[in-house]
């Protein structure tokens, strides 16, 4: 078919193609007598020898190949059982399937299936062959790239709506819009807008999109999911779930996944006596412990235990002690979190509650110096 070939070269190429295809063309396709009356046999579809087979694909466009490129595919095996190629067509027809949407690695099958539809006199479904998803390196997606089951992405802390949105945007676009609700996606999506080229899985982009969905999630639902993550290691009470829900506005910016968000709450849920990391132990030297004792005395008499009242009390201590707020907040943060990352110290105190907060301070004041 190459116009640059001479007639002799074309004949030679055609002969090679026929030789390559011959094992897949039945020797009895033209009515040749069977070798024996009781010999086992298969039933094949006699493929056309001339002309072009055309597929109008919703994604790939119009595609055609030479009819002589299709083999005499087996429809019924020697034991009378149907092959997949026949069975799937009959099944799709009986179920009223109108669209076949699948990866473009099955495009060749469309040209093998179309003659079966034609032979049976059935309407050929609409074909749409989607480009495959590749890894960041451009190679076919595999487990080393992150080709995992849906349940694994859930375990990794991705929200279902974020995964759906990311998959939608992997091979389809609608202007510059990135975030789509399920309803918007259903209304705007068309097969013709699907990209023909292979998309590349980018877990960093998925994490960034997941972070947006975390920030927009319903607080009650998000708190419940965070609680589920934490429950694998800690005792989670209804009161603690309520505290998590109330504190979410100050915490969601710290996370790209539910695992990140749950880990950010470890300072709140670790049981007493909380372990001190190296950084916290370095902070809680004798001078810092002296200040911690003053802090314990002053905040212990607060009537209305709230973030605002605690912040005011800590500022007052800073002024009275003639030290920076950091010199007050640093030992208190170490005593309350063990050195774990946490937001503003007044909020940490408020979320822990009076009893837990003072008890954690007392643990450090009474601890044996190392």
């Amino acid at each position: 078919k190459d116009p640059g070939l001479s007639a002799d070269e074309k004949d030679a190429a055609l002969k090679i193609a026929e030789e390559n295809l011959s094992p897949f063309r039945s020797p009895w396709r033209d009515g040749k007598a069977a070798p024996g009356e009781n010999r086992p046999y298969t039933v094949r579809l006699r493929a056309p020898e001339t002309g072009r087979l055309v597929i109008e694909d919703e994604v790939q466009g119009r595609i055609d190949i030479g009819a002589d490129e299709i083999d005499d595919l087996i429809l019924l095996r020697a034991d009378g059982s149907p092959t997949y190629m026949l069975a799937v067509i009959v099944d799709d027809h009986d179920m009223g399937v109108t669209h076949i949407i699948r990866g473009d690695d099955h495009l060749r099958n469309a040209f093998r299936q179309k003659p079966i539809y034609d032979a049976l006199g059935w309407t050929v479904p609409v074909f749409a062959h989607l480009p495959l998803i590749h890894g960041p390196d451009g190679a076919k997606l595999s487990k080393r790239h992150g080709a995992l089951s849906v349940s694994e992405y859930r375990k990794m802390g991705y929200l279902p709506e974020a995964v759906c949105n990311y998959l939608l945007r992997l091979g389809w676009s609608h202007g510059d819009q990135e975030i789509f609700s399920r309803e918007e996606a259903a209304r705007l999506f068309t097969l013709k807008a699907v990209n023909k080229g292979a998309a590349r899985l980018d877990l960093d982009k998925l994490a960034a999109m997941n972070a947006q969905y975390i920030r927009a999630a319903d607080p009650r639902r998000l708190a419940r999911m965070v609680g589920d993550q934490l429950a694998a290691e800690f005792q989670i009470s209804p009161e603690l779930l309520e505290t998590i829900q109330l504190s979410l506005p100050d915490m969601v910016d710290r996370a790209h996944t539910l695992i990140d968000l749950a880990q950010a709450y470890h300072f709140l849920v670790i049981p007493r006596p909380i372990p001190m990391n190296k950084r916290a132990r370095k902070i809680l030297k004798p001078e810092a412990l002296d200040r911690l004792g003053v802090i314990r005395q002053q905040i212990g008499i607060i009537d209305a235990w709230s973030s605002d009242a605690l912040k005011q009390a800590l500022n007052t201590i800073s002024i009275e002690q003639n030290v920076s707020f950091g010199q007050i907040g640093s030992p208190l943060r170490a005593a309350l979190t063990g050195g774990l990352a946490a937001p503003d110290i007044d909020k940490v105190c408020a979320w822990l509650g009076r009893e837990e907060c003072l008890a954690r301070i007392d643990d450090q004041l009474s601890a044996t110096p190392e």
Side-chain angles (χ1 to χ4, degrees):
K1 298 183 180 73
D2 188 333
L5 297 178
S6 65
D8 289 342
E9 288 172 329
K10 288 181 180 180
D11 288 342
L14 182 60
K15 183 177 181 181
I16 292 172
E18 289 175 346
E19 288 175 354
N20 289 336
L21 191 61
S22 62
F24 306 103
R25 288 290 172 98
S26 170
W28 293 279
R29 69 191 326 267
D30 294 318
K32 179 181 176 180
E37 184 176 344
N38 295 319
R39 293 284 293 274
Y41 63 90
T42 60
V43 176
R44 294 174 178 258
L45 179 71
R46 178 174 173 169
E49 294 182 278
T50 60
R52 311 288 293 174
L53 291 177
V54 179
I55 297 291
E56 297 288 352
D57 193 273
E58 288 292 291
V59 173
Q60 306 295 335
R62 183 184 178 89
I63 308 171
D64 68 280
I65 65 171
D68 55 358
E69 296 181 40
I70 302 301
D71 57 312
D72 290 343
L73 57 109
I74 296 174
L75 301 178
L76 297 177
R77 301 183 183 90
D79 62 2
S81 63
T83 58
Y84 168 81
M85 202 62 71
L86 175 62
V88 72
I89 288 173
V90 174
D91 189 43
D92 286 352
H93 174 267
D94 288 352
M95 290 194 298
V97 170
T98 59
H99 291 65
I100 296 176
I101 304 172
R102 58 192 177 188
D104 60 9
D105 53 335
H106 287 279
L107 183 56
R108 186 76 179 180
N109 281 339
F111 290 101
R112 303 181 76 203
Q113 291 168 343
K114 186 177 184 300
I116 301 178
Y117 279 104
D118 293 340
L120 293 170
W122 292 344
T123 300
V124 180
V126 174
F127 285 109
H129 289 87
L130 311 177
L132 300 179
I133 300 172
H134 288 181
D137 57 0
K140 187 176 179 181
L141 193 64
S142 63
K143 284 189 176 181
R144 67 185 177 88
H145 295 118
L148 308 171
S149 69
V150 173
S151 60
E152 288 300 316
Y153 282 99
R154 185 186 294 276
K155 291 177 184 176
M156 291 162 65
Y158 294 104
L159 299 182
E161 55 269 34
V163 174
C164 288
N165 196 148
Y166 180 72
L167 288 176
L168 176 73
R169 286 290 291 113
L170 261 184
W172 176 86
S173 61
H174 181 73
D176 295 328
Q177 186 174 345
E178 291 288 337
I179 303 298
F180 296 85
S181 67
R182 191 73 62 88
E183 294 72 25
E184 278 184 304
R187 176 169 52 85
L188 297 173
F189 180 83
T190 62
L191 286 169
K192 292 188 180 298
V194 174
N195 300 328
K196 291 184 180 181
R200 295 194 181 192
L201 181 69
D202 187 332
L203 291 179
D204 289 337
K205 288 185 177 179
L206 172 58
M209 181 169 286
N210 197 58
Q212 293 188 60
Y213 273 98
I214 284 177
R215 290 194 290 271
D218 174 72
R220 185 176 296 275
R221 174 188 174 226
L222 190 58
R224 198 164 52 245
M225 289 190 289
V226 171
D228 290 342
Q229 291 280 340
L230 292 169
E233 299 180 62
F234 307 102
Q235 292 290 330
I236 306 300
S237 66
E239 294 75 20
L240 189 55
L241 274 182
E242 186 176 346
T243 299
I244 290 173
Q245 182 179 330
L246 292 173
S247 62
L248 280 171
D250 294 286
M251 299 293 288
V252 289
D253 287 341
R254 297 168 173 265
H256 284 83
T257 67
L258 288 175
I259 292 177
D260 293 340
L261 189 54
Q263 287 177 342
Y265 274 105
H266 276 198
F267 77 90
L268 187 66
V269 298
I270 49 178
R272 293 181 45 238
I274 65 171
M276 296 286 116
N277 63 24
K278 184 177 180 180
R279 182 170 177 271
R281 289 196 300 270
K282 187 176 180 180
I283 291 171
L284 293 174
K285 297 301 182 182
E287 184 179 355
L289 287 171
D290 289 342
R291 288 203 185 100
L292 188 60
V294 174
I295 295 169
R296 166 66 172 86
Q297 183 179 9
Q298 293 297 318
I299 67 174
I301 60 175
I302 293 176
D303 291 328
W305 191 268
S306 68
S307 176
D308 289 340
L310 288 158
K311 187 172 185 179
Q312 184 177 343
L314 294 174
N315 277 320
T316 299
I317 297 170
S318 172
I319 294 170
E320 291 176 350
Q321 294 284 312
N322 195 28
V323 295
S324 69
F325 188 85
Q327 290 173 289
I328 296 297
S330 183
L332 179 58
R333 180 182 294 275
L336 297 183
T337 70
L340 297 177
D344 295 344
I345 192 61
D346 53 289
K347 293 177 180 177
V348 171
C349 292
W351 297 339
L352 287 170
R354 179 194 296 272
E355 182 180 341
E356 178 69 14
C357 181
L358 297 180
R360 289 189 183 192
I361 295 173
D362 290 340
D363 286 343
Q364 298 310 310
L365 293 175
S366 61
T368 303
E370 293 185 4

